[in-house]
Amino acid sequence: MMLARRQLVPLVRRVAPSISSRSIASDAVSPAQSVAATTPTDVVPVAVTELLTAEVISGAPSELRHRAVRVYQPTRNTMQSGGAKGERWRIDFDILQGGGRWENPLMGYASSADYMQGARVTFKSQEDAINFAKQQGWDYYVQQPTVKRIPPKNYSDNYLYRPNKLRICKTK
Amino acid sequence: MLRIVASASRPSSVSLLSVAHRRNLSSTSARQADITLTVDGKEVTVPQGSALIQACEAAGSPIPRFCYHDRLAIAGNCRMCLVEVARSPKPVASCAAPAMPGAVVFTNTPLVHEAREGVMEFLLSNHPLDCPICDQGGECDLQDQSIRYGSDRTRFHEIAGKRAVSNKDLGPIVKTSMNRCIQCTRCVRFANEVAGVEDLGTTGRGNDLQIGMYVEKMMDSELSGNVIDLCPVGALTSKPYAMQARPWELKTTESVDVLDALGSNIRVDSRGVQVMRVQPRTNDNVNEEWISDKTRYAYDGLRFQRLTTPLIKGPDNRFVTASWPDALAAIAAGLNQTGAKGNEIKAIAGHLADTETLVVLKDLINRLGSDNLASDLEGKYGNAPPVHGIDVRSNYSFNSTIAGVESADAILLVGTNPRHEAAVLNSRIRKSWLHTDLVVGMVGTRADTTYGFEHLGEDAKALEKFLSGKVKGEFAERWAQAKRPLIMVGSSMAEHADGEAVFGMLARYVAATGERIVREDWNGFNVLQRVASRPALYETGFVPSRAATSTTPKFIFLLNADEVDPASIPADAFVVYQGHHGDRGAALADVCLPGCAYTEKSSTWVNTEGRSQLGRAAVPPPGAAREDWKIVRALSEVLGVDLPYEDLVGVRDRMWAISPSLVRWDGLEGTSLEVAKAGLGSLMSNFYQTDVVSRASVTMAQCTRAFVTREKTSLEGLGKEPLQAHA
Amino acid sequence: MLRLPRRLPRLSPPSSRLISSTAPKRSDALFIHRDTPYNNPEIAFKFDAQNLKRAQEIISHYPPQYKKAATIPLLDLGQRQNKGWTSISVMNYVAELLEMPPMRVYEVATFYTMFNREPIGTNFVQVCTTTPCMLRGSTDILNTTCAHLGGLKPGETTKDGKFTVIEVECQGACSNAPMMAVNDDFYEDLTPETTKKILDAFAKGEKPKPGPQSGRKTSENSAGLTALTTKPYGPGEFCQPEFQ
């Protein structure tokens, strides 16, 4: 799923006419948007210095702004050898303390009052993910992936002559 | 490293020809470090001596495999990785074939497909069709690869039926279902090479080949759980996790392990409010791909003996549940009542205290006018400043870094048994010992490491004798010539009567040898911490002042301190315990405050090399338990000494002020070069039970019975009873 | 190689076979060790002085760090000393002698079928039933052997412990088929009568003359030579006088 919007400028361009035409509730319009809205034409690229974050108009609860997200590359499952989807980046939320989740006492179903606990957004690259978090106005923390260091391996290493006492008795 | 070179940057065939033209007999071209070959039409350059499968991977062509594993020796027995090589009459097993310069390899041709389908058909002919009841289902290599290469029907109609193999008892951790085995021998190679228990092997031949120990024996290794990950099918699965969950039901959270000081990277898999299992995360700087059994299986301890509500000890010495305001008020009242002033207020930090809370607690205690910040080191040692000093970070850190151990050519172990204190690090030493000429010497109680070592003596005298060069022998000779000698001192030395002498001796030796042990590119002086909180403790300066050492405390705050000596706590003192398990510490307390375990909070952990890593909350804490630093922060308000931060960002700013490296997660700061000062037995007698979590764990109790006390009990059926959440 | 008796599953047409009733296919022999009163690690085993000397001689053929190369000859030596079978103690002793993990020796001992991991009788009768011998009537030989020894099944030992009979795969004496090997000797060109005679001789503690039992010396044509019938040339015959 590619959700990141690559360009910032088109976002502004797209938002600006919608405000004028659809008349979104005025309390959702920030000063930054007013500036964008008063721009004479949306064909001229606007050099946006201040990022317009989506939360201003998305109607997302303000609590979201206080929750940091983590941007990371999920590690491959060590149970499996396949490497597919290994290059993807992910954004997800830290869970809420207390009351965030509980088990239904009758059925044992897991319930949650935390609407972001299952939210995971997958991106093709780190930049996309960071960009998305920025646009959403979320605090984010980037966890750098680790570098895998596998030396060259060779079948013939199993049969190398060792002049000194053997330290391992090789087997299949 | 493997590198992909864009084909545009490669010389064309014309220039290759011209090179050939230039070459004459007298100037044989030098042995090149890299070779170039073509995989699926893409040119790729890999180091000489790489396996073909590595070259294919580098070219971005995935190769299915069962027996090949990056961190094990190559066996070449599953034949799943067949590829087509130009001018080769038959498909080639890419793991066992070396990458040859100029080879033209195809991984996606009809020939390759047919070959792999044939291999898959043979593998499946004896594999039971029990995926619906197999624990590997959903994360099974055989399942994955049979989607692509498997046939939905079989041509194999042997009247005699499928092969049947008896299950083996490998102990309380590994559940076996040997009918499913495809004989990839990954487990055998892991046990042989990495874990160093050479008991696992293959018996029989042909269709009757089976994996086992031949004699009835359990797999006595701290790393045995890793064979479960390695097994590409469901032959080896996890006993405690058996029939508990499916991988697609689980929420994965990438976190850090705290049950030893290595800071192994883990992935906590949870369902609802329960941690269902713990898996390793690959990090070549720390744990490669392995984690110890304690890390992997102590999680069931998180469900038992938990403190879920604040408790206040009533007049009849029984705990009564209380609300948070009442409990905090009771603490304030207790502090007033004892009249504790200055250093009489004492805080003791235990094994599982996280860095944020240590910082907040230190600030609180300091604001109350006290410097009495002790830790639960063995005996009386926690009450005094540590013998190695904490002013210079290299005095208590693993300076060579964990990955750096592999470059050492001589290792001197002093009073430590890495096999128990840092099982994964021990496997690195074994790896190095197997592949290089590494020699290991040991001063201290003789232990069963998984590599050969020369025992130099039991006590500080033996160490002195060795350091003064009076010992003759192979190790002494090699040590004298070593380019990268490494001294590894156990953290138990800081809790030993001779500790001061040992550290002094080593510091003088390191200083006397000049550039040999500590220099710009090599710091061979290491202290191996065994407790997750200690490096952070020293980093944040959570140690008592000299003056505080002699004060008798009247008010004691135990932060996760469960290893504390009850005798060291005066009977009339008011004791507060904050932690997550009702263990020794809680028993001593007047007020208990329920905190979070490591899977329930997002906190910073510093490992033995000084690498700070960010753990992550996977599940919410049980009941009324709260995040630890918040509890201390709330307490500060009740005690009338407000701390100046209100959220996690504020706490981390404060940590930045104390030591920036604490919040530079995953990075590793170099330590300064100076070492200011720096029977020796390991204090760890039972690897499986070292802290509250592992003591509360059923699996760890079974491991203790199986491997430590060696009780003769049948392990069949154990670990299968359903576990109750927060019993 | 079929060594121990295998219960043949009932043959049934595939159409009636259900998925739920797939017959398990069991191994011919156990490939794990189970402690028994006669075979457990507590029973001591050591080479006697003569064998130890021989073992050291064998070990000396290999580089000192590759002593493990002597595993098979030493196991054989141990099997000979241990009344023809390789007990767990023999394997452990070999492992100790060669300084290798016992499991590595178990792997070898279970791989090669000529290491008997269960006790055998004094005379170990191995009847070849591979194709050439079968075409020449090895089924009769096997049946005769079993019947003559009191109705044994292949893989069983007589009650008096004198004979163990097994079927084996090709022993490489096809030109003298059918054949059987008793202990280390080949008895070839067998007929049911000669088989009985050989077994009777062994039962009495004698050792009949090994080799073809049909009067042939080796594997020459039983109907008489058709080639090379003339006197072979002597040295120098037909040469120039100066070379004679």
Side-chain angles (χ1 to χ4, degrees):
Chain A
M1 205 170 30
M2 264 298 303
L3 286 183
R5 291 164 202 148
R6 289 272 173 75
Q7 305 291 319
L8 303 183
V9 177
L11 175 70
V12 176
R13 262 195 261 150
R14 213 183 41 154
V15 164
S18 73
I19 289 171
S20 52
S21 59
R22 284 197 226 148
S23 73
I24 287 173
S26 61
D27 58 354
V29 180
S30 72
Q33 269 179 333
S34 322
V35 172
T38 52
T39 312
T41 166
D42 56 338
V43 178
V44 177
V46 187
V48 182
T49 47
E50 199 177 324
L51 188 67
L52 174 74
T53 56
E55 56 163 355
V56 180
I57 48 167
S58 69
S62 61
E63 302 96 80
L64 268 187
R65 297 168 61 190
H66 303 296
R67 296 178 64 180
V69 295
R70 192 186 287 214
V71 177
Y72 65 104
Q73 197 172 27
T75 38
R76 177 179 75 72
N77 185 356
T78 45
M79 301 278 268
Q80 286 166 293
S81 58
K85 302 184 187 177
E87 302 297 306
R88 295 184 178 182
W89 284 76
R90 185 189 280 175
I91 284 185
D92 63 7
F93 284 81
D94 279 341
I95 60 164
L96 283 185
Q97 292 286 316
R101 263 190 266 180
W102 62 87
E103 257 177 12
N104 178 315
L106 178 64
M107 297 297 287
Y109 295 160
S111 314
S112 177
D114 176 6
Y115 41 79
M116 294 316 280
Q117 57 101 14
R120 279 177 180 172
V121 197
T122 309
F123 300 91
K124 273 191 183 158
S125 72
Q126 185 186 357
E127 291 71 38
D128 285 351
I130 292 175
N131 212 358
F132 184 76
K134 274 187 188 159
Q135 287 185 356
Q136 294 296 318
W138 294 337
D139 288 336
Y140 63 91
Y141 158 62
V142 182
Q143 189 179 347
Q144 293 300 335
T146 55
V147 182
K148 200 170 171 184
R149 289 191 297 265
I150 304 294
K153 290 153 68 80
N154 212 321
Y155 186 61
S156 59
D157 292 350
N158 291 334
Y159 307 103
L160 282 185
Y161 174 77
R162 305 214 174 253
N164 300 320
K165 192 172 184 293
L166 294 190
R167 289 177 167 186
I168 184 173
C169 194
K170 291 234 180 218
T171 184
K172 289 157 266 194
Chain B
M1 282 315 301
L2 305 175
R3 282 175 303 174
I4 305 172
V5 173
S7 50
S9 72
R10 295 300 310 163
S12 66
S13 56
V14 177
S15 62
L16 279 176
L17 280 175
S18 64
V19 170
H21 176 74
R22 271 208 310 277
R23 200 182 125 212
N24 52 37
L25 278 177
S26 59
S27 64
T28 313
S29 62
R31 188 168 176 261
Q32 283 182 328
D34 284 351
I35 56 172
T36 302
L37 60 160
T38 314
V39 180
D40 288 342
K42 195 192 251 178
E43 283 203 2
V44 63
T45 302
V46 293
Q48 196 162 41
S50 299
L52 196 49
I53 196 169
Q54 291 183 308
C56 293
E57 260 182 8
S61 302
I63 305 287
R65 81 285 300 269
F66 294 112
C67 72
Y68 175 81
H69 191 274
D70 280 338
R71 291 167 211 277
L72 301 174
I74 295 174
N77 46 21
C78 77
R79 316 310 284 186
M80 196 61 204
C81 60
L82 293 172
V83 295
E84 188 180 348
V85 179
R87 291 197 299 280
S88 160
K90 297 183 286 181
V92 170
S94 62
C95 69
M100 296 301 242
V104 180
V105 184
F106 303 97
T107 68
N108 206 9
T109 57
L111 174 78
V112 171
H113 270 263
E114 205 176 330
R116 289 179 188 165
E117 278 162 16
V119 170
M120 180 60 82
E121 192 171 350
F122 276 119
L123 287 177
L124 291 179
S125 70
N126 265 328
H127 192 82
L129 285 170
D130 59 354
C131 299
I133 55 151
C134 175
D135 259 327
Q136 194 86 353
E139 47 185 0
C140 173
D141 275 347
L142 191 66
Q143 237 179 5
D144 292 352
Q145 291 169 35
S146 64
I147 299 291
R148 186 158 182 190
Y149 297 107
S151 167
D152 60 347
R153 61 206 63 210
T154 178
R155 288 182 288 171
F156 182 76
H157 292 292
E158 186 156 314
I159 300 156
K162 295 200 175 198
R163 177 188 50 134
V165 185
S166 61
N167 291 345
K168 311 288 183 291
D169 182 6
L170 296 185
I173 284 182
V174 185
K175 183 185 163 192
T176 60
S177 179
M178 295 316 253
N179 283 345
R180 298 175 187 150
C181 180
I182 58 167
Q183 285 106 21
C184 68
T185 69
R186 272 190 191 176
C187 52
V188 173
R189 280 173 284 144
F190 175 83
N192 207 17
E193 293 160 21
V194 182
V197 281
E198 296 170 270
D199 292 329
L200 206 58
T202 52
T203 54
R205 68 193 294 182
N207 200 50
D208 294 329
L209 184 84
Q210 54 176 288
I211 306 287
M213 307 225 184
Y214 191 61
V215 291
E216 274 184 32
K217 212 172 185 182
M218 284 187 269
M219 192 174 170
D220 185 4
S221 164
E222 292 70 32
L223 296 168
S224 64
N226 292 303
V227 299
I228 297 163
D229 283 355
L230 288 173
C231 187
V233 294
L236 306 176
T237 52
S238 167
K239 220 175 234 180
Y241 173 70
M243 312 297 169
Q244 299 279 314
R246 284 296 194 184
W248 56 84
E249 302 172 323
L250 300 175
K251 183 185 165 159
T252 59
T253 311
E254 305 203 338
S255 187
V256 178
D257 172 57
V258 302
L259 299 178
D260 57 31
L262 218 52
S264 299
N265 288 201
I266 54 170
R267 202 188 73 189
V268 181
D269 289 3
S270 56
R271 187 178 60 191
V273 295
Q274 269 193 19
V275 175
M276 299 308 292
R277 64 171 179 181
V278 171
Q279 294 281 102
R281 213 154 38 96
T282 320
N283 186 344
D284 271 340
N285 290 326
V286 183
N287 57 325
E288 298 178 284
E289 205 166 317
W290 323 123
I291 52 174
S292 70
D293 287 352
K294 187 165 54 176
T295 303
R296 194 185 289 263
Y297 288 116
Y299 67 85
D300 61 346
L302 296 170
R303 304 176 195 168
F304 301 113
Q305 291 204 320
R306 291 298 300 269
L307 298 176
T308 54
T309 54
L311 301 168
I312 300 175
K313 201 174 258 179
D316 57 350
N317 251 1
R318 279 169 175 271
F319 279 122
V320 182
T321 57
S323 67
W324 275 106
D326 290 350
L328 296 181
I331 296 171
L335 180 61
N336 275 336
Q337 198 191 338
T338 54
K341 288 275 168 314
N343 283 341
E344 287 166 354
I345 300 170
K346 180 177 181 178
I348 304 182
H351 283 20
L352 302 176
D354 63 285
T355 314
E356 278 83 359
T357 317
L358 285 174
V359 168
V360 178
L361 182 63
K362 179 171 187 262
D363 282 352
L364 171 67
I365 299 293
N366 287 349
R367 280 185 184 225
L368 290 171
S370 167
D371 280 330
N372 207 345
L373 301 161
S375 56
D376 63 350
L377 297 183
E378 191 76 9
K380 60 184 193 301
Y381 297 98
N383 298 332
V387 290
H388 42 64
I390 60 152
D391 294 339
V392 182
R393 197 170 178 209
S394 53
N395 275 358
Y396 56 83
S397 294
F398 203 87
N399 300 311
S400 327
T401 73
I402 292 169
V405 167
E406 285 176 34
S407 61
D409 49 7
I411 295 180
L412 175 65
L413 304 173
V414 180
T416 179
N417 177 9
R419 182 170 177 182
H420 285 170
E421 296 184 9
V424 178
L425 174 69
N426 198 55
S427 78
R428 263 198 211 253
I429 303 179
R430 177 170 168 83
K431 181 165 111 185
S432 175
W433 182 76
L434 288 182
H435 293 115
T436 68
D437 283 340
L438 173 75
V439 281
V440 184
M442 180 190 265
V443 181
T445 315
R446 202 182 270 275
D448 178 19
T449 57
T450 54
Y451 36 83
F453 61 87
E454 193 172 317
H455 194 242
L456 302 166
E458 298 270 343
D459 50 12
K461 268 202 187 120
L463 179 66
E464 191 176 12
K465 196 173 159 208
F466 174 76
L467 293 180
S468 57
K470 285 177 197 149
V471 176
K472 294 277 171 286
E474 200 210 335
F475 177 72
E477 257 172 52
R478 295 281 307 278
W479 178 263
Q481 295 156 7
K483 298 261 180 335
R484 291 164 91 90
L486 189 150
I487 301 174
M488 199 188 293
V489 193
S491 59
S492 315
M493 282 303 92
E495 299 152 66
H496 191 274
D498 291 337
E500 195 143 9
V502 167
F503 275 101
M505 218 183 295
L506 288 170
R508 283 193 297 278
Y509 179 73
V510 169
T513 51
E515 293 272 284
R516 222 168 78 73
I517 294 177
V518 179
R519 56 175 184 264
E520 202 62 56
D521 64 332
W522 178 248
N523 189 339
F525 178 77
N526 298 287
V527 180
L528 178 62
Q529 298 290 348
R530 67 180 195 283
V531 173
S533 69
R534 299 264 165 82
L537 218 61
Y538 301 145
E539 186 83 29
T540 54
F542 201 100
V543 291
S545 64
R546 290 271 170 207
T549 306
S550 52
T551 321
T552 310
K554 287 183 180 167
F555 176 90
I556 300 179
F557 191 98
L558 301 174
L559 175 66
N560 295 97
D562 288 284
E563 320 301 316
V564 70
D565 179 15
S568 69
I569 293 181
D572 56 345
F574 188 85
V575 182
V576 179
Y577 174 78
Q578 178 184 336
H580 40 80
H581 275 74
D583 205 279
R584 289 175 212 166
L588 299 167
D590 292 304
V591 177
C592 285
L593 304 175
C596 290
Y598 66 103
T599 53
E600 293 151 12
K601 58 188 167 190
S602 197
S603 49
T604 305
W605 303 92
V606 183
N607 82 348
T608 181
E609 36 173 4
R611 184 190 301 275
S612 75
Q613 300 183 104
L614 194 58
R616 221 177 165 199
V619 290
R626 288 290 174 268
E627 229 174 318
D628 288 276
W629 76 267
K630 285 185 183 159
I631 299 173
V632 181
R633 170 69 181 75
L635 181 64
S636 75
E637 235 166 83
V638 177
L639 295 181
V641 280
D642 281 18
L643 294 173
Y645 23 77
E646 281 172 352
D647 55 8
L648 199 55
V649 179
V651 178
R652 287 185 178 152
D653 283 346
R654 171 75 182 129
M655 282 159 65
W656 173 273
I658 293 172
S659 168
S661 71
L662 285 178
V663 287
R664 284 184 193 141
W665 295 299
D666 299 332
L668 187 59
E669 310 271 315
T671 48
S672 62
L673 291 183
E674 51 179 320
V675 175
K677 165 181 123 57
L680 310 178
S682 169
L683 284 172
M684 203 185 265
S685 55
N686 176 3
F687 164 74
Y688 294 99
Q689 294 181 318
T690 49
D691 45 62
V692 284
V693 180
S694 50
R695 273 201 296 271
S697 158
V698 177
T699 315
M700 291 297 108
Q702 285 167 5
C703 287
T704 307
R705 274 160 62 190
F707 301 123
V708 182
T709 57
R710 309 235 173 226
E711 285 168 37
K712 286 265 181 193
T713 47
S714 166
L715 289 153
E716 274 306 305
L718 285 179
K720 284 183 186 155
E721 61 266 41
L723 300 169
Q724 304 299 319
H726 309 312
Chain C
M1 191 186 302
L2 293 178
R3 315 217 78 202
L4 295 176
R6 174 157 71 158
R7 205 164 42 110
L8 285 171
R10 210 162 13 100
L11 291 173
S12 54
S15 58
S16 70
R17 201 179 121 213
L18 300 172
I19 289 176
S20 57
S21 63
T22 312
K25 182 167 183 275
R26 298 200 169 83
S27 318
D28 298 334
L30 271 185
F31 289 103
I32 47 173
H33 167 80
R34 299 204 200 281
D35 280 353
T36 51
Y38 58 86
N39 187 11
N40 63 60
E42 265 78 62
I43 299 171
F45 177 85
K46 254 186 169 31
F47 279 146
D48 54 33
Q50 197 193 345
N51 278 346
L52 191 63
K53 205 170 143 220
R54 208 161 151 204
Q56 269 146 4
E57 211 275 325
I58 294 168
I59 293 171
S60 73
H61 295 180
Y62 305 102
Q65 74 271 31
Y66 286 101
K67 273 205 280 195
K68 62 175 183 173
T71 310
I72 295 178
L74 256 57
L75 277 173
D76 179 57
L77 211 55
Q79 169 158 308
R80 279 164 201 283
Q81 190 185 319
N82 195 44
K83 296 182 186 148
W85 68 292
T86 311
S87 67
I88 187 85
S89 316
V90 173
M91 300 180 208
N92 287 340
Y93 178 70
V94 170
E96 190 196 318
L97 205 62
L98 298 178
E99 296 170 45
M100 54 199 282
M103 187 64 215
R104 300 287 92 85
V105 178
Y106 304 155
E107 284 178 341
V108 173
T110 54
F111 186 88
Y112 294 101
T113 48
M114 288 175 82
F115 293 120
N116 302 310
R117 287 174 292 112
E118 288 293 320
I120 55 162
T122 337
N123 300 300
F124 189 45
V125 183
Q126 308 169 62
V127 184
C128 173
T129 55
T130 307
T131 319
C133 282
M134 193 199 74
L135 293 173
R136 297 278 296 150
S138 69
T139 318
D140 282 350
I141 306 298
L142 183 65
N143 291 342
T144 311
T145 312
C146 289
H148 194 70
L149 294 174
L152 294 183
K153 289 199 190 80
E156 288 179 353
T157 306
T158 51
K159 286 208 185 75
D160 57 4
K162 277 194 176 160
F163 290 96
T164 299
V165 184
I166 59 162
E167 280 182 70
V168 292
E169 301 301 330
C170 187
Q171 301 282 301
C174 309
S175 50
N176 294 50
M179 65 79 67
M180 69 180 184
V182 183
N183 299 334
D184 287 336
D185 296 313
F186 282 10
Y187 294 88
E188 299 155 330
D189 289 344
L190 296 174
T191 57
E193 293 70 44
T194 48
T195 308
K196 282 181 199 163
K197 222 188 283 172
I198 293 164
L199 293 175
D200 287 339
F202 274 109
K204 276 184 266 171
E206 294 163 9
K207 192 183 163 204
K209 187 176 167 290
Q213 304 296 307
S214 60
R216 284 203 285 173
K217 272 205 176 91
T218 59
S219 53
E220 76 272 15
N221 190 343
S222 52
L225 296 180
T226 54
L228 302 177
T229 46
T230 53
K231 178 180 156 280
Y233 306 146
E237 214 170 332
F238 303 120
C239 289
Q240 294 291 330
E242 59 263 40
F243 298 117
Q244 281 178 357

